[in-house]
Structure formats: C-alpha cells, structure tokens
Amino acid sequence: MKKHIVILSICLVVLTLACNLVTGESPDRPASSVSAPPAVEGLGSAEGIEDTTAPVVEQQPPVEGLGGPEGIEDIIEPGIEQQPPVEGLGGPEGIEDIIEPGIEQQPPVEGLGGPEGIEDIIEPGIGQQPPVEGLGGPEGIEQQTAPGSGFGAPQDWTGGSTYGELGMAFADVTGDGRTDFIAVDNDSTYVLPSTGSNFGAYQDWTGGPTYGELAMAFADVTGDGKADFIAVDNASTYVLPSTGSSFGAPQDWTGGPTYGELGMAFADVTGDGREDFVAVDSDSTYVLPSTGSSFGAPQDWTGGPTYGELVMAFEDVTGDGKADFIAVDNASTYVLTAN
C-alpha cells in the first residue's frame, strides 16, 4: 500500500512539471493576468470584439502629386482634371476662382466695380466711345467718315437729258439714306432712285398729274425718315405721304389757305424729327409745327418783319438739331438761330 502511494506522488510531480512546460511558466511563478479589452460604446460587451473594427473600406490608390494613401482626402472626382492654382488666387482651395484656360483675367476697371464687373471690360488702351447719333452704338464708330475737302470730277448720273416740266427736287423719298431725283411733269411725278453711283430708271409715283398751284416741296413732315410730297394750293396745303415706293393719296394738313407772302419753306425748326411749315410774311415769320398728321396753328417766331433781300433758307447751321433762319442781304448774311 505504501508502495502505491509513492508511485502516485511521483506521477503527480511528473504531471505538474509537464503542465509547467506547456504554459511556459516556472513552477513557482503565477501566470500573468490578461485583462479583457474594454467594451466599445455602442458595440456591446467585450464578447462583441469582432465589432470593434470599422467596416472594411477599400483603400484608394494614391493620386500622383497628392502624397501617399494618407492623402486620400485629396481624391477628386474621377475623370475631372484638377486645375493648378492660379497665381494670386490662392492654392487648390481657390479652385472656384479658376478661369477658362487660355483666357487672361483682366484687372478691374476703375469705376466699374471689382472683377465681377468683367462684362464691362473694354479693349485695353481703347477709350470707350459714346454712341454716334444715327450710327448705332459704339460698334458703329467705324462708319464715321473724314471731313470733305473738295469736289471730284463730274459724273454722268442719268445718261441723258432728264428734268421735270413743272419742277424738280432732290430728297430721300425711299428712306434708304440716299437723296433721290424727283421730276414733276404735266402727266405725273417721277422718281429716279439713287443707287449711290447713279440715278435709276424713272418710276411713276403719283399715277397722274399732281402739283401745287403756289408751291411744291419734298420734306419728311410725318417723321418716318422718308420725304413726303407737299403741294401748296390756293385752297389749302396737301401732303402726299411717301410709302417708300410711291406717294399716297393727298391729305389736307392746314384746313384752309396757308402760305407766306414772301416765301415758304419746310424744315425741322422745333427739333422733333418732323419738318415744319415756315411762312415768311411781310409783317413777321410764322411757324406751323408738324404733328405728324397735320400742321398746327401759326406761331410768330420773329416778332416782326424778317427776311433776306437776296435769299432766305432754313438749315441747321449750328448743329443742334434745329433748323435756323438764314437771311442773305446785300450787306451780309445773317443767321437767326432756332431756340
């Protein structure tokens, strides 16, 4: 029995030594304690440690020029080329300031605001010109011609004898900016339109005899840019408006006899774009302003007798858009400016 107890003790010692060899611990040194990882908030207890790692995110390859994988925050949208920073506009963060490649950004123009006013930028070194009256906006400035300095050689514009039996005049009745030849004959009134280098073929514009017993004139009294036919008769003054290709039916514009004892003219003395009726009498000079469809009541514009001994005319010699009174006397030539 004693023998059996000794054998059992030996077996226990051997077993203990074997266990120490497996755990790597010395027989008389206790095993170190391993603390369980703390629970991750929102992921459960330590048993849920497989939840403590973030979901697997596929790592993007580094972008050339933006650093290694750590620079993943610099990744830009695929297919969009990143623009280099523009000098003076900050780094890549200033990409909203990038302008179209190849277009030089202009500095702000004084008085036009900051860069936002870039639509106001004009060609560098060229001062912005005001629009020229009758030529459109600044783009029409090339239409200005140099001042004249002489008359050229005579040019035959009709290719033969051409005149009106009762009268002739030159006015832009077609409205194309060129002055046309008008011939008043006994049978009709004819227009030879200007082409800019000659007068064209005859065109019958009245379809029968039309003339004024006291005077005839061609002026734009309607204000549409085309000269109209004005016939002053003993009974009244009639206007035949131009359509651009003919003269319309006569319209009574004065409602009774109206004429000047010493002279009559049609000119825009009021400056409204319509030519007015000017009647020079022995006691004064009267203006009947055009309304576009009739001549208004006479207005005394000189306050007494005023006329030229040799010639009278009404033209805008001051350049203010209003025709002035020009009186040529033996002693001198006088201008009475329109106010």
Side-chain angles (χ1 to χ4, degrees):
M1 181 68 177
K2 197 173 195 180
K3 182 179 179 180
H4 289 159
I5 291 173
V6 171
I7 293 171
L8 181 58
S9 299
I10 293 170
C11 289
L12 289 173
V13 171
V14 172
L15 182 60
T16 300
L17 292 173
C19 288
N20 288 337
L21 289 174
V22 171
T23 61
E25 299 289 338
S26 62
D28 48 3
R29 181 180 171 184
S32 60
S33 61
V34 178
S35 60
V40 178
E41 184 177 352
L43 293 179
S45 62
E47 291 78 2
I49 195 154
E50 65 277 355
D51 296 324
T52 60
T53 58
V56 177
V57 177
E58 183 179 357
Q59 192 176 39
Q60 300 292 331
V63 178
E64 183 177 353
L66 296 178
E70 296 79 4
I72 197 157
E73 66 277 1
D74 293 323
I75 296 295
I76 57 175
E77 186 176 349
I80 303 299
E81 181 182 0
Q82 191 177 41
Q83 301 291 334
V86 178
E87 183 177 353
L89 295 178
E93 296 78 5
I95 196 148
E96 67 276 1
D97 293 323
I98 296 295
I99 56 175
E100 187 174 344
I103 303 298
E104 182 182 1
Q105 191 177 41
Q106 301 292 332
V109 178
E110 184 178 352
L112 295 178
E116 296 78 6
I118 195 136
E119 66 275 6
D120 293 322
I121 297 295
I122 57 176
E123 186 173 85
I126 303 297
Q128 193 173 37
Q129 300 294 329
V132 179
E133 184 177 353
L135 296 179
E139 297 79 4
I141 195 130
E142 68 277 1
Q143 297 183 43
Q144 293 190 76
T145 57
S149 59
F151 292 115
Q155 301 172 3
D156 185 350
W157 273 44
T158 57
S161 177
T162 307
Y163 54 89
E165 296 167 334
L166 300 179
M168 291 173 284
F170 295 87
D172 181 13
V173 294
T174 57
D176 62 359
R178 296 187 291 261
T179 300
D180 310 297
F181 187 166
I182 306 155
V184 181
D185 277 354
N186 285 303
D187 61 344
S188 198
T189 298
Y190 299 92
V191 171
L192 293 78
S194 170
T195 66
S197 58
N198 59 39
F199 292 119
Y202 282 97
Q203 298 176 6
D204 185 347
W205 273 46
T206 56
T210 306
Y211 50 89
E213 297 168 334
L214 302 178
M216 291 179 288
F218 296 85
D220 182 15
V221 294
T222 57
D224 63 356
K226 299 184 289 289
D228 310 296
F229 188 165
I230 306 157
V232 181
D233 279 355
N234 286 303
S236 197
T237 298
Y238 302 91
V239 171
L240 293 78
S242 170
T243 66
S245 58
S246 66
F247 292 120
Q251 301 173 3
D252 186 346
W253 272 44
T254 56
T258 306
Y259 51 87
E261 299 168 335
L262 302 179
M264 291 174 283
F266 296 88
D268 182 12
V269 295
T270 58
D272 62 359
R274 297 185 295 263
E275 302 199 50
D276 310 296
F277 189 164
V278 185
V280 181
D281 277 355
S282 55
D283 63 340
S284 198
T285 298
Y286 300 91
V287 170
L288 293 78
S290 170
T291 66
S293 58
S294 66
F295 291 120
Q299 301 174 2
D300 186 346
W301 272 48
T302 56
T306 307
Y307 52 89
E309 296 171 336
L310 301 177
V311 173
M312 292 177 290
F314 296 86
E315 297 289 345
D316 181 14
V317 294
T318 58
D320 63 356
K322 299 185 288 287
D324 308 297
F325 188 166
I326 307 161
V328 182
D329 279 355
N330 287 304
S332 193
T333 298
Y334 302 91
V335 172
L336 293 79
T337 56
N339 299 318

